[in-house]
Amino acid sequence: MSHPLARRLQLGTDEWRHAVTLGGILFSITSSYTLTKTARDAMFLAHLPATELPLVYLGAGVLTLLASLVFARATRHVATWQTLAGTAGVAAVSLVVFAWAFVIGGAWVPVVFYLWVNLYGLMLTSQFWNFTNSISDPGEAKRIFGIVGGLGILGGLVGGIAAARLGTRAGLPALLVMAAVLVALTVPAVWVGVRRGAVAGSEPPPGESGRSPFRADYVRWLALAALCSVLVTGLLDYQLKVEIQQRYPTSASLARFFGLFYTVTNTVALVFQLVGTRWSLERLGAGWSAAVLPAGLGAGALATLTSPGIGAVVGTRLWDQVMRLSLNRSAVELFYFPLEPGLRRRAKAMIDAGLERIGDALSGVLILVLGVTIGAGTWSVALVVTALVIIWLAAWFRIRRGYVDELGRNLRRMNLDPAAEPLPLREAAVRGATTRLLASPWERVVLHGMEVLADADLRALRQQLPRLLSHPSPEVRARALALAAAHWPERAEAHLAAQLADPDPRVRLAALAVRAELDPSIGLEAFAPYLDAPDPRVRAEALRAA
């Protein structure tokens, strides 16, 4: 019998078990990482000035980039579930060692621990999503990733609450011991999940593409947006820690602040994930949803410029973290969809593991440059953030424009040559993915999907016709009627009355053209009212139809 919540979410028993298992693993990872981030920041700021952070950012970026390249090469023939379990095991042992180092002390501990936390946290999270993506098909991913991400955010919330209380009462070493236990739980969870079939142990080999990802304009704009994103979050992190160090001098007070900060962050992110993410993606679309994060950061930077202070700094950083944990992750992932599989995998790997890590180092360099020129204070950092946000938003504007063009090229690679033999969509996953294009909020994507199904799967297109004939877009309604007339005249005739009364003249004209094809007795005078229409597209179509 399926779980009541699974039935409410329309998930099968296997999908529900898959979602809960993956979500439980991510819960352990994020709660552990939140504890270690709290200990990292409290230890560093209690012993070293925040002005040393740019050098640490630079070192962390370079170290993480090199480690990622070596790690990827060393594990390229290892299953992702084994890599994830191994990384978690190493992380658990290392945290116990650092808990001991916190007790004995040493000038090297704050810096080395800061570098290590950045390294293991990024690699462990990356390995989890590599593992998850490798064993999930696109359809299942859309159904279960909301649950998985929600449990991950819940883990961060629990970690924040535990950090605020435990860090004050038991000290920073206790945070690391608890974090080690939580991340160690990942190892048996992955192993048991594979053994019981809750998650797959075998993975399909990824397709390869010999094309360099950065030869595509679309990928270059994605890379620019990712780089701006990393630079901005690095600057905001530095800005917050400079302000906080001036107000909280001890490790206990710092741990309490960061624990509460992560608690609020994850609470708001969880609420938004449950309430706002799906609404935003469905109503605004992925393009506008991806712009929500930089737009809010731009507003926060302007608030900091006009009224510098702790309130504007904390609020801007809070917006940054909340949106990254919820809406932004879901929206950005959708923009890799138009790329062919091999190119998509390489582009994502190069941006996530390479360019974003370079961005960490560049944020350190940028702060150092500010320090020797106009000063790396709150106001100057906000000024640079404002400039980066403008570039970031411009990149997303170009990405939105390029999305449909790139999608069209990818669909044409699926044999959309009208002179070629139509290629049936025999694979259920491919058919399902193509049919889901018709649910896109973007008109041009829906039109592309209709053309694909018209060439490859008329049965699937016919099932979608009633919804397409009442689509919010007039272009879609008109095209759906034309396709119905071409393949199923009787169905087109059944909808003519409604389409002839459509509020949009383009749809009425399309319906009149279909009616003229079905009834040759209709004269040219029927098209006369449309020849003087204010819309030039309507006039052109009327001339063509007449």
Side-chain angles (χ1 to χ4, degrees), residues 76-78 80 130 133-134 202-209 340-346:
R76 64 185 184 276
H77 298 305
V78 181
T80 54
N130 283 342
N133 289 333
S134 69
S202 59
E203 304 154 14
E208 291 289 344
S209 171
E340 59 177 301
L343 184 62
R344 182 191 314 146
R345 184 177 65 85
R346 293 182 64 203

PDB file of all heavy atoms in Angstrom, residues 76-78 80 130 133-134 202-209 340-346:
ATOM      1  N   ARG A  76      36.497   8.416 -12.458  1.00  0.00           N
ATOM      2  CA  ARG A  76      35.692   8.384 -13.694  1.00  0.00           C
ATOM      3  C   ARG A  76      35.167   6.989 -14.018  1.00  0.00           C
ATOM      4  O   ARG A  76      34.191   6.856 -14.762  1.00  0.00           O
ATOM      5  CB  ARG A  76      36.499   8.931 -14.864  1.00  0.00           C
ATOM      6  CG  ARG A  76      37.724   8.131 -15.253  1.00  0.00           C
ATOM      7  CD  ARG A  76      38.504   8.868 -16.345  1.00  0.00           C
ATOM      8  NE  ARG A  76      39.651   8.110 -16.836  1.00  0.00           N
ATOM      9  CZ  ARG A  76      40.832   8.083 -16.275  1.00  0.00           C
ATOM     10  NH1 ARG A  76      41.030   8.780 -15.158  1.00  0.00           N
ATOM     11  NH2 ARG A  76      41.812   7.370 -16.787  1.00  0.00           N
ATOM     12  N   HIS A  77      35.802   5.928 -13.484  1.00  0.00           N
ATOM     13  CA  HIS A  77      35.322   4.568 -13.742  1.00  0.00           C
ATOM     14  C   HIS A  77      34.627   3.963 -12.525  1.00  0.00           C
ATOM     15  O   HIS A  77      34.385   2.757 -12.485  1.00  0.00           O
ATOM     16  CB  HIS A  77      36.499   3.677 -14.155  1.00  0.00           C
ATOM     17  CG  HIS A  77      37.179   4.123 -15.427  1.00  0.00           C
ATOM     18  ND1 HIS A  77      36.497   4.311 -16.604  1.00  0.00           N
ATOM     19  CD2 HIS A  77      38.480   4.434 -15.682  1.00  0.00           C
ATOM     20  CE1 HIS A  77      37.336   4.705 -17.552  1.00  0.00           C
ATOM     21  NE2 HIS A  77      38.542   4.800 -17.009  1.00  0.00           N
ATOM     22  N   VAL A  78      34.333   4.798 -11.532  1.00  0.00           N
ATOM     23  CA  VAL A  78      33.694   4.330 -10.301  1.00  0.00           C
ATOM     24  C   VAL A  78      32.234   4.766 -10.305  1.00  0.00           C
ATOM     25  O   VAL A  78      31.912   5.894 -10.706  1.00  0.00           O
ATOM     26  CB  VAL A  78      34.417   4.902  -9.054  1.00  0.00           C
ATOM     27  CG1 VAL A  78      33.758   4.398  -7.773  1.00  0.00           C
ATOM     28  CG2 VAL A  78      35.894   4.526  -9.077  1.00  0.00           C
ATOM     29  N   THR A  80      28.737   6.259  -9.214  1.00  0.00           N
ATOM     30  CA  THR A  80      28.536   7.472  -8.428  1.00  0.00           C
ATOM     31  C   THR A  80      28.087   7.167  -7.000  1.00  0.00           C
ATOM     32  O   THR A  80      28.398   7.939  -6.073  1.00  0.00           O
ATOM     33  CB  THR A  80      27.501   8.394  -9.100  1.00  0.00           C
ATOM     34  OG1 THR A  80      26.299   7.665  -9.343  1.00  0.00           O
ATOM     35  CG2 THR A  80      28.035   8.959 -10.396  1.00  0.00           C
ATOM     36  N   ASN A 130      25.202  14.420  -8.627  1.00  0.00           N
ATOM     37  CA  ASN A 130      25.655  13.560  -9.729  1.00  0.00           C
ATOM     38  C   ASN A 130      25.038  12.173  -9.603  1.00  0.00           C
ATOM     39  O   ASN A 130      24.555  11.584 -10.578  1.00  0.00           O
ATOM     40  CB  ASN A 130      27.172  13.443  -9.724  1.00  0.00           C
ATOM     41  CG  ASN A 130      27.854  14.672 -10.276  1.00  0.00           C
ATOM     42  OD1 ASN A 130      27.240  15.477 -10.959  1.00  0.00           O
ATOM     43  ND2 ASN A 130      29.133  14.833  -9.972  1.00  0.00           N
ATOM     44  N   ASN A 133      21.147  12.483 -10.283  1.00  0.00           N
ATOM     45  CA  ASN A 133      20.829  12.677 -11.698  1.00  0.00           C
ATOM     46  C   ASN A 133      21.131  11.447 -12.529  1.00  0.00           C
ATOM     47  O   ASN A 133      20.464  11.179 -13.530  1.00  0.00           O
ATOM     48  CB  ASN A 133      21.614  13.873 -12.244  1.00  0.00           C
ATOM     49  CG  ASN A 133      21.110  15.198 -11.701  1.00  0.00           C
ATOM     50  OD1 ASN A 133      19.947  15.317 -11.349  1.00  0.00           O
ATOM     51  ND2 ASN A 133      21.987  16.175 -11.602  1.00  0.00           N
ATOM     52  N   SER A 134      22.154  10.677 -12.126  1.00  0.00           N
ATOM     53  CA  SER A 134      22.542   9.508 -12.915  1.00  0.00           C
ATOM     54  C   SER A 134      21.538   8.368 -12.810  1.00  0.00           C
ATOM     55  O   SER A 134      21.508   7.488 -13.667  1.00  0.00           O
ATOM     56  CB  SER A 134      23.934   9.016 -12.476  1.00  0.00           C
ATOM     57  OG  SER A 134      23.880   8.452 -11.173  1.00  0.00           O
ATOM     58  N   SER A 202      22.985   0.610 -10.690  1.00  0.00           N
ATOM     59  CA  SER A 202      23.586   0.672 -12.025  1.00  0.00           C
ATOM     60  C   SER A 202      23.149   1.950 -12.710  1.00  0.00           C
ATOM     61  O   SER A 202      22.049   2.445 -12.487  1.00  0.00           O
ATOM     62  CB  SER A 202      23.142  -0.528 -12.867  1.00  0.00           C
ATOM     63  OG  SER A 202      21.742  -0.549 -12.992  1.00  0.00           O
ATOM     64  N   GLU A 203      24.014   2.489 -13.538  1.00  0.00           N
ATOM     65  CA  GLU A 203      23.759   3.761 -14.172  1.00  0.00           C
ATOM     66  C   GLU A 203      24.010   3.654 -15.671  1.00  0.00           C
ATOM     67  O   GLU A 203      24.952   2.988 -16.088  1.00  0.00           O
ATOM     68  CB  GLU A 203      24.684   4.830 -13.576  1.00  0.00           C
ATOM     69  CG  GLU A 203      24.555   4.928 -12.069  1.00  0.00           C
ATOM     70  CD  GLU A 203      25.815   5.469 -11.428  1.00  0.00           C
ATOM     71  OE1 GLU A 203      26.653   6.001 -12.169  1.00  0.00           O
ATOM     72  OE2 GLU A 203      25.959   5.337 -10.204  1.00  0.00           O
ATOM     73  N   PRO A 204      23.186   4.296 -16.487  1.00  0.00           N
ATOM     74  CA  PRO A 204      23.421   4.279 -17.919  1.00  0.00           C
ATOM     75  C   PRO A 204      24.649   5.083 -18.270  1.00  0.00           C
ATOM     76  O   PRO A 204      24.902   6.127 -17.674  1.00  0.00           O
ATOM     77  CB  PRO A 204      22.156   4.940 -18.489  1.00  0.00           C
ATOM     78  CG  PRO A 204      21.660   5.795 -17.377  1.00  0.00           C
ATOM     79  CD  PRO A 204      22.021   5.095 -16.113  1.00  0.00           C
ATOM     80  N   PRO A 205      25.442   4.604 -19.234  1.00  0.00           N
ATOM     81  CA  PRO A 205      26.618   5.380 -19.627  1.00  0.00           C
ATOM     82  C   PRO A 205      26.202   6.673 -20.295  1.00  0.00           C
ATOM     83  O   PRO A 205      25.322   6.677 -21.152  1.00  0.00           O
ATOM     84  CB  PRO A 205      27.346   4.458 -20.612  1.00  0.00           C
ATOM     85  CG  PRO A 205      26.279   3.571 -21.148  1.00  0.00           C
ATOM     86  CD  PRO A 205      25.289   3.382 -20.050  1.00  0.00           C
ATOM     87  N   PRO A 206      26.767   7.820 -19.908  1.00  0.00           N
ATOM     88  CA  PRO A 206      26.380   9.086 -20.516  1.00  0.00           C
ATOM     89  C   PRO A 206      26.896   9.201 -21.929  1.00  0.00           C
ATOM     90  O   PRO A 206      27.958   8.682 -22.270  1.00  0.00           O
ATOM     91  CB  PRO A 206      27.052  10.134 -19.605  1.00  0.00           C
ATOM     92  CG  PRO A 206      28.227   9.417 -19.034  1.00  0.00           C
ATOM     93  CD  PRO A 206      27.829   7.974 -18.907  1.00  0.00           C
ATOM     94  N   GLY A 207      26.122   9.867 -22.778  1.00  0.00           N
ATOM     95  CA  GLY A 207      26.572  10.110 -24.136  1.00  0.00           C
ATOM     96  C   GLY A 207      27.692  11.115 -24.161  1.00  0.00           C
ATOM     97  O   GLY A 207      27.799  11.978 -23.309  1.00  0.00           O
ATOM     98  N   GLU A 208      28.528  11.045 -25.137  1.00  0.00           N
ATOM     99  CA  GLU A 208      29.647  11.972 -25.264  1.00  0.00           C
ATOM    100  C   GLU A 208      29.418  12.905 -26.445  1.00  0.00           C
ATOM    101  O   GLU A 208      28.745  12.566 -27.403  1.00  0.00           O
ATOM    102  CB  GLU A 208      30.963  11.196 -25.469  1.00  0.00           C
ATOM    103  CG  GLU A 208      31.416  10.421 -24.247  1.00  0.00           C
ATOM    104  CD  GLU A 208      31.910  11.341 -23.136  1.00  0.00           C
ATOM    105  OE1 GLU A 208      32.180  12.522 -23.424  1.00  0.00           O
ATOM    106  OE2 GLU A 208      32.002  10.884 -22.001  1.00  0.00           O
ATOM    107  N   SER A 209      29.964  14.056 -26.359  1.00  0.00           N
ATOM    108  CA  SER A 209      29.908  15.010 -27.459  1.00  0.00           C
ATOM    109  C   SER A 209      31.297  15.557 -27.680  1.00  0.00           C
ATOM    110  O   SER A 209      31.974  15.960 -26.744  1.00  0.00           O
ATOM    111  CB  SER A 209      28.942  16.154 -27.120  1.00  0.00           C
ATOM    112  OG  SER A 209      29.026  17.169 -28.082  1.00  0.00           O
ATOM    113  N   GLU A 340      22.072  19.047 -26.167  1.00  0.00           N
ATOM    114  CA  GLU A 340      22.105  17.608 -26.377  1.00  0.00           C
ATOM    115  C   GLU A 340      22.792  16.950 -25.184  1.00  0.00           C
ATOM    116  O   GLU A 340      23.634  17.566 -24.513  1.00  0.00           O
ATOM    117  CB  GLU A 340      22.835  17.273 -27.674  1.00  0.00           C
ATOM    118  CG  GLU A 340      24.272  17.770 -27.724  1.00  0.00           C
ATOM    119  CD  GLU A 340      24.953  17.339 -29.002  1.00  0.00           C
ATOM    120  OE1 GLU A 340      25.022  16.126 -29.219  1.00  0.00           O
ATOM    121  OE2 GLU A 340      25.406  18.209 -29.755  1.00  0.00           O
ATOM    122  N   PRO A 341      22.462  15.682 -24.856  1.00  0.00           N
ATOM    123  CA  PRO A 341      22.915  15.074 -23.601  1.00  0.00           C
ATOM    124  C   PRO A 341      24.413  15.142 -23.351  1.00  0.00           C
ATOM    125  O   PRO A 341      24.843  15.506 -22.251  1.00  0.00           O
ATOM    126  CB  PRO A 341      22.431  13.618 -23.740  1.00  0.00           C
ATOM    127  CG  PRO A 341      21.239  13.711 -24.615  1.00  0.00           C
ATOM    128  CD  PRO A 341      21.538  14.811 -25.599  1.00  0.00           C
ATOM    129  N   GLY A 342      25.234  14.801 -24.349  1.00  0.00           N
ATOM    130  CA  GLY A 342      26.673  14.820 -24.126  1.00  0.00           C
ATOM    131  C   GLY A 342      27.186  16.225 -23.872  1.00  0.00           C
ATOM    132  O   GLY A 342      27.996  16.456 -22.971  1.00  0.00           O
ATOM    133  N   LEU A 343      26.698  17.187 -24.658  1.00  0.00           N
ATOM    134  CA  LEU A 343      27.104  18.576 -24.484  1.00  0.00           C
ATOM    135  C   LEU A 343      26.605  19.126 -23.156  1.00  0.00           C
ATOM    136  O   LEU A 343      27.303  19.872 -22.471  1.00  0.00           O
ATOM    137  CB  LEU A 343      26.557  19.417 -25.640  1.00  0.00           C
ATOM    138  CG  LEU A 343      26.967  20.894 -25.664  1.00  0.00           C
ATOM    139  CD1 LEU A 343      28.469  21.030 -25.793  1.00  0.00           C
ATOM    140  CD2 LEU A 343      26.257  21.608 -26.806  1.00  0.00           C
ATOM    141  N   ARG A 344      25.391  18.745 -22.782  1.00  0.00           N
ATOM    142  CA  ARG A 344      24.824  19.195 -21.519  1.00  0.00           C
ATOM    143  C   ARG A 344      25.675  18.742 -20.340  1.00  0.00           C
ATOM    144  O   ARG A 344      25.975  19.518 -19.432  1.00  0.00           O
ATOM    145  CB  ARG A 344      23.403  18.653 -21.370  1.00  0.00           C
ATOM    146  CG  ARG A 344      22.677  19.105 -20.107  1.00  0.00           C
ATOM    147  CD  ARG A 344      21.407  18.303 -19.917  1.00  0.00           C
ATOM    148  NE  ARG A 344      20.667  18.198 -21.159  1.00  0.00           N
ATOM    149  CZ  ARG A 344      19.951  17.135 -21.498  1.00  0.00           C
ATOM    150  NH1 ARG A 344      19.895  16.079 -20.708  1.00  0.00           N
ATOM    151  NH2 ARG A 344      19.289  17.118 -22.645  1.00  0.00           N
ATOM    152  N   ARG A 345      26.070  17.473 -20.346  1.00  0.00           N
ATOM    153  CA  ARG A 345      26.858  16.934 -19.232  1.00  0.00           C
ATOM    154  C   ARG A 345      28.203  17.640 -19.124  1.00  0.00           C
ATOM    155  O   ARG A 345      28.650  18.005 -18.041  1.00  0.00           O
ATOM    156  CB  ARG A 345      27.065  15.431 -19.417  1.00  0.00           C
ATOM    157  CG  ARG A 345      27.781  14.751 -18.260  1.00  0.00           C
ATOM    158  CD  ARG A 345      27.887  13.260 -18.499  1.00  0.00           C
ATOM    159  NE  ARG A 345      28.732  12.966 -19.640  1.00  0.00           N
ATOM    160  CZ  ARG A 345      30.062  12.867 -19.572  1.00  0.00           C
ATOM    161  NH1 ARG A 345      30.678  13.048 -18.426  1.00  0.00           N
ATOM    162  NH2 ARG A 345      30.766  12.599 -20.641  1.00  0.00           N
ATOM    163  N   ARG A 346      28.855  17.867 -20.277  1.00  0.00           N
ATOM    164  CA  ARG A 346      30.161  18.514 -20.248  1.00  0.00           C
ATOM    165  C   ARG A 346      30.050  19.983 -19.855  1.00  0.00           C
ATOM    166  O   ARG A 346      30.866  20.511 -19.094  1.00  0.00           O
ATOM    167  CB  ARG A 346      30.827  18.400 -21.617  1.00  0.00           C
ATOM    168  CG  ARG A 346      31.189  16.965 -21.998  1.00  0.00           C
ATOM    169  CD  ARG A 346      31.889  16.916 -23.335  1.00  0.00           C
ATOM    170  NE  ARG A 346      33.156  17.623 -23.283  1.00  0.00           N
ATOM    171  CZ  ARG A 346      33.772  18.121 -24.346  1.00  0.00           C
ATOM    172  NH1 ARG A 346      33.214  18.017 -25.532  1.00  0.00           N
ATOM    173  NH2 ARG A 346      34.929  18.731 -24.232  1.00  0.00           N
TER     174      ARG A 346
END
